[in-house]
Amino acid sequence: RVVVDPARRSFVWRRRFAFRTRSGSLTFDDIRAVYAERSIGDSRVPSRRLVICTRNGETIPLTAGYRPDADQVILRASEQMRAVLGQHPASGDAAKAMVMAGRIMEAIAFLRESEGLSLIDAKRRIDALHGSESRSNR
């Protein structure tokens, strides 16, 4: 369950899986990126989950697991959330958030899917992002 309040610029989420519940509240400024994460090794119908990356580098999956997304409902939901948050649909921000979280392979796959890049071009972009993150953390 997700409640977005544009007037208060707040984002409240709650995720239940079996007997476990995880929830939280964020302001729009706390959110660095929202993206549809694709499961690794997925070669047929893409399975995705909606993920939020915070400014402090934490990743928050909004669903307990990946779901088949042949009709791209989860992908469109991430785009709609970015629009409400006032974030541009730039996939580079989401890829950078993935790199910061140490998810290099997922970032490459994300760029390939979202921008239609070749494997080599996506890897070059991620390498450049990874290099700039390494230098900024020194």
Side-chain angles (χ1 to χ4, degrees):
R1 180 175 179 193
V2 175
V3 178
V4 180
D5 186 350
R8 293 186 178 155
R9 298 184 47 82
S10 68
F11 183 88
V12 179
W13 59 275
R14 180 176 172 187
R15 183 184 77 209
R16 289 177 32 170
F17 180 70
F19 297 111
R20 250 176 109 188
T21 300
R22 188 170 175 206
S23 61
S25 177
L26 300 166
T27 66
F28 284 11
D29 294 331
D30 294 334
I31 300 171
R32 179 182 197 135
V34 175
Y35 58 91
E37 181 179 73
R38 191 170 176 173
S39 64
I40 295 176
D42 205 358
S43 61
R44 296 186 183 182
V45 173
S47 293
R48 297 183 177 103
R49 68 180 179 178
L50 199 56
V51 177
I52 292 175
C53 257
T54 64
R55 295 270 176 216
N56 64 6
E58 179 184 9
T59 57
I60 303 169
L62 295 178
T63 56
Y66 295 92
R67 295 182 184 160
D69 194 30
D71 53 1
Q72 298 186 339
V73 170
I74 297 171
L75 190 61
R76 285 194 305 271
S78 68
E79 293 168 359
Q80 290 171 346
M81 287 180 68
R82 281 193 300 272
V84 169
L85 294 169
Q87 298 178 350
H88 299 288
S91 55
D93 292 340
K96 188 172 185 175
M98 288 180 203
V99 168
M100 287 182 61
R103 298 172 174 225
I104 306 299
M105 297 301 290
E106 293 172 40
I108 292 169
F110 176 76
L111 278 181
R112 290 192 69 202
E113 182 178 351
S114 64
E115 295 187 10
L117 298 176
S118 70
L119 177 61
I120 293 170
D121 290 337
K123 184 175 180 328
R124 285 181 184 148
R125 291 249 325 259
I126 295 304
D127 286 344
L129 285 173
H130 189 61
S132 67
E133 280 303 310
S134 295
R135 285 189 299 273
S136 67
N137 289 334
R138 290 183 189 169

